Amino acid sequence: MAQIKLSRGRRVLRGLLFASLLAAAPALSTAADAPAPNPVSDPAAINARFEGALSALGQGDARAAIVQLTQILARDPDLVRVRLELARALFLAGDLRQSKQQFLRALSARDLPAPVRATVLGFIRQIDDQRGYSSAFRLALTQPEGAGRNYKTDTLYFDPFGTGTALPFTLTRPDSPGIALEVEGDLRQLWSLGSFGDTARLSAYLRGHLRLLEARGDDYDEGRLDFAPGVQLSWPLSTLALEVRTSALSAAADLTQTRAGLGVTYQSRNTRGLSWSGDLAVSHLASRIDDRASGTLTEATATLQQSFRGNGYLAASLRGETLQAHAGSASYTRTALRLTRALDVRGGLSLRASAFAETTRQQDASPGFQRRRIDHDLGVEMTVQKNDLILFNRFTPFVTLGKTRHDSSIAAFSYAEYRLQLGVESLF
């Protein structure tokens, strides 16, 4: 198995965390000290696996350690010492996103000693400043848009001649393919540019995001590519980033839309597992289908997240979006609220449940319609991930079930939608 060479900074951080853990050993549950989660658990075997993971980390084999530590947490997700070592192993393997998530969860553990808490915050700071390359990938079988919809009615009232009298028309809706392949990936490269004062650090970065949806035929194919260079300032408990954002969207194998603009993001956290962030972006949206739909797009998001007991979190996200297009009928305002509860449970399972509400208001009625369109969405979603089942030495499987009720002021656009998704995503 490939060995991972550790930079001097990583070796120092590794030593700091290990020293803090040893100093706080009486107050932390180790794999051997923790009570057996059930009668069939074997503390000696768990402790042996934990020692094996530490040995692998000591030899620079972070990926082997990740597998063993994940399997231990599958038995008992409340083992804070094990979760800290998993976060460290993910850090050393280069998965900064997952590492930060695990460290933030560990911060919410009860009775976490102050030396360990300070070291964890140091790791999170190092993640924010980390130079180098990181990636995340996701592959899933899913349903293309419309595949799981049951429409309220197929009768549409439309005034094609502008006489003021709407006539009933029956919509013929195409049959969408029942299944599609979705591929999603994120890449990021960061370079350190130096320090300012005693605590601020400046970095430059380049990030990209790709999403592809491939269904039978071309009509339901989708694609999106995001590319953003930027700079960020980081402090011990916060980060501020400014970036240039560009996007290209496609549908049915044709380029439909491009975007270019500026975005600013602020993230902060405290020492008890609470984090909050805000994002604001303003861009020019150019429609390749109808220039009247081109205009200025403004997007804003605020998120609050609190970790609990070291093995889960509760998050609330509020999002607003406004498009001021050349045509009033293409202009809209959208607001959305999402609540998410995530929890690691025994058996190596991670559960993530979400509930969301969204409202979209059209600025002016479309030609042929007597009133503007107002849509309301209510939905729930549940994802179950098997963390201790690692496929191809990198991926873990998941299943997502969801339901959305879409109510529109135009009855023919109202529907109930069911969603099923089966896939794998990268663990590191």
Side-chain angles (χ1 to χ4, degrees), residues 57 62-63 65 72 80 101 114 139 154 206 234 246 321 343 347 385 394 398 423 427:
L57 278 174
R63 294 195 173 193
I72 296 174
V80 178
Q101 182 183 84
L139 180 69
D154 290 330
L206 185 65
S234 63
T246 58
E321 179 180 322
L343 181 67
Q385 188 162 6
R394 181 163 187 182
F398 70 90
L427 178 62

Side-chain angles (χ1 to χ4, degrees), residues 236-250:
L237 294 177
S238 58
T239 303
L240 177 66
L242 176 66
E243 59 187 27
V244 178
R245 299 180 181 179
T246 58
S247 303
L249 287 73
S250 67

Side-chain angles (χ1 to χ4, degrees), residues 8 28 68 102 106 109 165 246 297 354 359 364 382 409:
R8 180 177 182 275
L28 282 177
Q68 297 180 69
Q102 295 297 332
T165 301
T246 58
L297 179 67
S354 296
T359 297
D364 298 327
M382 169 65 80
S409 57

